[in-house]
Amino acid sequence: MSARKIAFVALLAASSLTITACESGSSVQPPATTSENQGIQSGTAQTSHAPTTAEKYTPATAKGPAKNVPVPQMPESASKNSENGARNFSEYYFDLVNYTIETNDTKLIKKFTTHACEVCGLSIIDPADRAKIDGRWQVGGKHRYEVLASEITGENLAVTSVRYSADSAKFYVEPHVVESELERLPSTIVALGLEYDSGWKVYKIVGDD
């Protein structure tokens, strides 16, 4: 096992213990209500989102895909090789996940993801690329997240723990005809393995199961 993988596994275990202690023995929490979950991000709070055009943003509906989706802008703090930088980058990355599933545009998220991240490819990037080819669009499915912990694990390496949930979603290839559906994803925790080379990139995502 490589030194990077050893460091990642060790930090994931340490982070899991920290999270467990903070959350009374359970690393997976039931979906929080609005009143008790003000710390969980909607995907817009930590990152400045500026529309790329002056045209009005229109969310996806059964009639058609979203239009003029605001492009997430990475805050300067997320480019720093530090624990806080890794935390802010992880928040930005989840904003990119939401942007990707809403637009099927993978160019930006690929810039911040290494080829080593199998989960990133199989769960986020590849489905969006296929959907773009097929003319499929998604209504709903927004990821809501909270970064719980961030640690530097070695030279140019970090791990962050993120709790997130995802709204239910419907998929269309023609107006008002539902092709498939996804149920709401309950609150769960993942660890993001990050590496730094003139900026952070995700090289691994590990679930809590």
Side-chain angles (χ1 to χ4, degrees):
M1 181 179 290
S2 69
R4 183 173 76 173
K5 290 182 178 178
I6 292 173
F8 181 83
V9 172
L11 239 299
L12 176 55
S15 297
S16 297
L17 289 174
T18 301
I19 294 166
T20 301
C22 293
E23 298 183 355
S24 304
S26 175
S27 61
V28 179
Q29 299 295 306
T33 62
T34 301
S35 61
E36 69 184 2
N37 195 35
Q38 295 178 353
I40 292 186
Q41 307 299 324
S42 66
T44 59
Q46 293 295 324
T47 305
S48 173
H49 292 232
T52 55
T53 73
E55 297 181 46
K56 183 179 179 181
Y57 162 65
T58 303
T61 68
K63 295 181 180 179
K67 297 179 180 179
N68 306 310
V69 180
V71 179
Q73 302 298 308
M74 186 173 72
E76 183 179 354
S77 58
S79 65
K80 306 297 183 182
N81 189 352
S82 64
E83 287 188 359
N84 190 56
R87 170 184 290 272
N88 291 336
F89 172 80
S90 296
E91 293 170 347
Y92 172 67
Y93 194 82
F94 267 81
D95 283 346
L96 288 183
V97 170
N98 282 326
Y99 175 78
T100 301
I101 64 177
E102 191 170 14
T103 64
N104 292 328
D105 182 355
T106 62
K107 292 191 296 291
L108 196 54
I109 199 168
K110 285 177 179 177
K111 180 180 178 182
F112 296 101
T113 308
T114 74
H115 292 294
C117 186
E118 295 182 3
V119 172
C120 304
L122 294 174
S123 299
I124 305 167
I125 296 172
D126 293 347
D129 282 339
R130 289 194 298 268
K132 186 173 184 178
I133 294 172
D134 296 339
R136 183 184 301 108
W137 71 92
Q138 177 173 328
V139 177
K142 186 172 185 176
H143 287 62
R144 305 179 185 277
Y145 60 84
E146 177 188 11
V147 178
L148 301 172
S150 174
E151 293 192 51
I152 299 297
T153 63
E155 185 177 0
N156 298 322
L157 296 172
V159 169
T160 61
S161 299
V162 182
R163 176 169 57 199
Y164 78 99
S165 63
D167 297 344
S168 61
K170 294 182 179 180
F171 298 86
Y172 300 82
V173 290
E174 58 181 293
H176 301 290
V177 179
V178 177
E179 181 197 50
S180 58
E181 299 184 48
L182 284 178
E183 295 183 356
R184 183 180 187 277
L185 178 68
S187 179
T188 189
I189 292 175
V190 294
L192 273 62
L194 310 179
E195 62 181 19
Y196 193 91
D197 182 8
S198 301
W200 291 110
K201 291 186 178 182
V202 176
Y203 75 85
K204 194 176 186 69
I205 297 179
V206 175
D208 61 2
D209 51 6

